[in-house]
Amino acid sequence: MYDAIFNLTMPEGATVVGFADDVEVVVAAKYLDEVTLITNQAVATVPGWLSSVGLQLAGHNTEIFQVTSRKQTEFITVTVGKHEIRSQSCLKYLGVMIDARLRFNVHSENTCAKSAKVAFILSRLMPNVGGSRESTRRLLAIVVPFILLYAAPIWKEAMVTKSYRRKLV
């Protein structure tokens, strides 16, 4: 049912990407007014398809985010239904916080805070489950790195791509 959204005719520079029930419209353009124009055209296309299959776009849950290499981040505003959405400096997508420069600083800060919280909670539980036996210590040693390393391949790929681009220029 949802696969048809990937075949929608989008304006040039816009592509529909999705995973499970998360659908994104990715727009690539050089100038900000061009991005705004393409985004408005693309966003106007999606609600028509959604209503044809009996679904509705949640305009209040819609977010806009732009990746840029400019020193000063510029913001755009797009109208989605009755809602005006202003672009943000970072966005959470599939559990990964992505910032405008693809540095993943926000994601690493959030991940470190989350793993510290989980480690604290698990260490507080240890006395209630018979002390710090090997199995409970192993649980702590396994869970925290998994939280810290979530999406690490994405970070690595973004960093490699950035350094490769710098070498080409």
Side-chain angles (χ1 to χ4, degrees), residues 34-49:
E34 198 177 345
V35 170
T36 307
L37 177 68
I38 295 170
T39 303
N40 279 321
Q41 291 172 351
V43 167
T45 306
V46 174
W49 179 84

Side-chain angles (χ1 to χ4, degrees), residues 49-93:
W49 179 84
L50 287 172
S51 64
S52 73
V53 294
L55 298 172
Q56 188 176 4
L57 180 68
H60 61 282
N61 286 341
T62 304
E63 297 175 313
I64 299 173
F65 167 75
Q66 56 185 347
V67 176
T68 181
S69 62
R70 296 186 178 158
K71 289 183 181 179
Q72 184 166 353
T73 305
E74 299 167 314
F75 296 95
I76 62 172
T77 303
V78 175
T79 304
V80 179
K82 298 175 185 172
H83 303 279
E84 289 212 347
I85 313 295
R86 187 169 191 265
S87 61
Q88 303 171 358
S89 58
C90 68
L91 176 78
K92 187 172 188 175
Y93 179 64

Side-chain angles (χ1 to χ4, degrees), residues 13-32:
T15 309
V16 178
V17 179
F19 181 78
D21 64 343
D22 284 334
V23 177
E24 293 73 38
V25 176
V26 179
V27 176
K30 188 171 184 174
Y31 301 106
L32 195 61

